[in-house]
Amino acid sequence: MRRFLLVARVFVVRLVHGVARGLPIQERVVLATSHSDVLTGNLAWIRDELARRTPHVRIVTIASRPRTGPRGIARAAATAIRGSYYLATSRVFVVDDNFPIFAVRRRPGTTLVQAWHAAGAFKKVRYSLVGKSFGAAATSLEPIAANYDICLVSSLSFAPYYSEAFRLPLDRFVSTIGIPRTDVFFGAHRAAALSRAKSRYPAVDGRTVVLYAPTFRGDTFIDARDGALLDLRVLKEKLGRDHVVMLRLHPVVQERAALDASLRDFVIDASGDPDVNELMLVSDVLVTDYSSVIFEFALLERPMVFFAPDLEAYERERGFYFDYRSGVPGPVLETSEAVAEVLRAGRFDLDRVRAFAKSSFDVADGRSSGRFVDQIVMPMLAAGGAARQ
């Protein structure tokens, strides 16, 4: 059934795109995601920068996260159709990962930019997944990658991994712009975001905040499962006097276990918060497993602890671009008791975190959104306007 639905969607997408190619290209910017029902991360920062500096530029947003069942299938089809139309008729089209507009040729005169929804290169993706259970359908949605004109990367050292994964030449990858979503960690952006986060979570004041952000489990985004394996009751017993845990599950996890009532004075459920980077700003330490949030958290030069009791299984399922145990910037632990002990001791190697951040970002200075608009969006819009004259 899944294969049939994929073939049907490819047919409809190609049909809509083919018809729409006969229409004029509009001088507009499309920002599209299939990870959330609202724009977040890089796309939100690009949108806000465009709105602030170029209010005359029309912006179209397409946002829809994966869902199961007939309604989910219908919603995914509608999103793909809408995306196909706008891809064929817009000057700039920006996505933040595998947006479902595949098996079509990008129209000349349109620039397609891949901004991703995370920084760095950590877990394997696309063609790097051959032989992995998570990559069973990796190639079926791949043709759209051939249309990418520009792909952002936080460091050119990661470009070879992306080049392998998407079978794209290295010259498609750009690190000099930076990652727009990291702007939140600098200057006035940082102060404003910190204030917003504290107002949403007043319980963090006066306590050490542990951000627990595990990634999901499962072979696809559709069947994503809760990856929160840490026993929070153990942490409360060891840390509850002066710590608080901020729980942030991966956004694609749809079914979540209810939080134990005994933990309500110790755990803040922030899984519904749209901006994990703002949560980072109010956090003193990160506990995660295989989440790419480690790259941006490193910019804060704060400690990280890695809880990976299922590391061998995850390596078989998906795998990494570097050796996990030696490559992550913090201790790798397998029991909740060990995590609690490390957090209580509070002794961390921050030089390791700083080195990780330095190697992961070629530029991070709070001005990446501005460079994206100046170097990608405005030149394309100007070229389109000149071509019409």
Side-chain angles (χ1 to χ4, degrees):
M1 175 59 73
R2 180 173 291 182
R3 178 65 182 174
F4 170 77
L5 293 173
L6 178 62
V7 171
R9 197 194 311 177
V10 167
F11 173 78
V12 173
V13 164
R14 283 176 169 169
L15 178 63
V16 172
H17 189 267
V19 172
R21 284 172 68 98
L23 301 174
I25 293 179
Q26 301 295 314
E27 304 306 317
R28 63 180 164 226
V29 179
V30 181
L31 306 171
T33 182
S34 59
H35 282 274
S36 171
D37 291 332
V38 296
L39 292 192
T40 60
N42 289 325
L43 299 186
W45 279 88
I46 293 166
R47 175 201 60 201
D48 293 347
E49 184 72 9
L50 280 168
R52 182 179 68 84
R53 293 176 45 197
T54 58
H56 62 283
V57 173
R58 185 185 173 198
I59 303 171
V60 173
T61 64
I62 307 175
S64 179
R65 67 177 175 83
R67 288 175 170 82
T68 57
R71 288 187 178 182
I73 294 171
R75 188 182 178 99
T79 299
I81 291 169
R82 187 168 177 238
S84 301
Y85 167 79
Y86 280 115
L87 178 63
T89 60
S90 303
R91 186 65 63 190
V92 181
F93 199 105
V94 188
V95 298
D96 70 346
D97 205 353
N98 180 46
F99 188 79
I101 42 172
F102 42 84
V104 296
R105 287 185 178 274
R106 178 188 51 75
R107 183 178 181 181
T110 293
T111 293
L112 179 57
V113 184
Q114 175 58 266
W116 315 115
H117 68 284
F122 190 11
K123 297 167 289 190
K124 289 187 175 181
V125 295
R126 293 295 175 265
Y127 281 108
S128 300
L129 287 166
V130 172
K132 302 288 187 180
S133 61
F134 187 82
T139 60
S140 64
L141 301 181
E142 182 56 27
I144 187 62
N147 291 321
Y148 296 157
D149 295 290
I150 301 170
C151 300
L152 300 187
V153 286
S154 59
S155 169
L156 275 186
S157 64
F158 299 133
Y161 302 130
Y162 283 90
S163 177
E164 169 199 299
F166 292 90
R167 295 185 176 175
L168 289 171
L170 286 171
D171 61 9
R172 302 279 180 92
F173 299 93
V174 176
S175 68
T176 53
I177 288 173
I179 305 300
R181 59 186 283 157
T182 65
D183 289 353
V184 73
F185 298 130
F186 300 90
H189 294 311
R190 177 170 177 158
L194 181 60
S195 178
R196 287 194 299 269
K198 284 186 173 181
S199 68
R200 293 199 300 275
Y201 306 104
V204 302
D205 280 343
R207 294 197 278 180
T208 298
V209 181
V210 179
L211 175 60
Y212 179 36
T215 195
F216 68 93
R217 302 300 191 276
D219 289 339
T220 69
F221 290 128
I222 297 295
D223 60 9
R225 303 188 306 275
D226 184 347
L229 304 179
L230 190 63
D231 190 336
L232 297 174
R233 291 168 296 184
V234 170
L235 264 65
K236 181 179 180 180
E237 180 182 346
K238 301 285 187 179
L239 308 172
R241 298 188 306 275
D242 51 11
H243 285 63
V244 62
V245 170
M246 183 171 284
L247 173 64
R248 213 288 185 158
L249 300 180
H250 195 283
V252 300
V253 175
Q254 299 183 42
E255 295 185 9
R256 302 166 180 171
L259 193 64
D260 192 307
S262 66
L263 296 172
R264 288 176 183 166
D265 61 340
F266 177 67
V267 179
I268 300 170
D269 188 354
S271 296
D273 198 295
D275 195 335
V276 68
N277 283 11
E278 290 196 359
L279 301 182
M280 294 182 194
L281 288 171
V282 296
S283 303
D284 298 291
V285 57
L286 171 69
V287 176
T288 188
D289 43 18
Y290 321 116
S291 173
S292 293
V293 297
I294 63 174
F295 294 98
E296 284 154 299
F297 197 81
L299 290 173
L300 296 173
E301 299 184 358
R302 296 174 187 174
M304 287 179 255
V305 175
F306 293 83
F307 179 60
D310 60 342
L311 176 57
E312 291 185 5
Y314 198 85
E315 286 182 319
R316 290 193 301 270
E317 175 184 298
R318 189 159 183 181
F320 307 95
Y321 284 113
F322 55 78
D323 179 71
Y324 181 88
R325 291 189 179 277
S326 63
V328 295
V332 177
L333 308 172
E334 297 183 359
T335 68
S336 299
E337 289 77 9
V339 172
E341 290 173 5
V342 167
L343 292 174
R344 171 52 67 193
R347 293 188 294 271
F348 302 102
D349 184 356
L350 293 184
D351 287 339
R352 188 175 174 185
V353 175
R354 295 185 189 101
F356 184 79
K358 185 176 181 180
S359 66
S360 299
F361 292 89
D362 288 347
V363 57
D365 57 5
R367 297 191 292 272
S368 295
S369 301
R371 281 190 293 269
F372 186 94
V373 171
D374 290 338
Q375 298 180 28
I376 296 178
V377 177
M378 298 314 296
M380 280 304 302
L381 294 177
R388 294 199 318 271
Q389 294 177 0

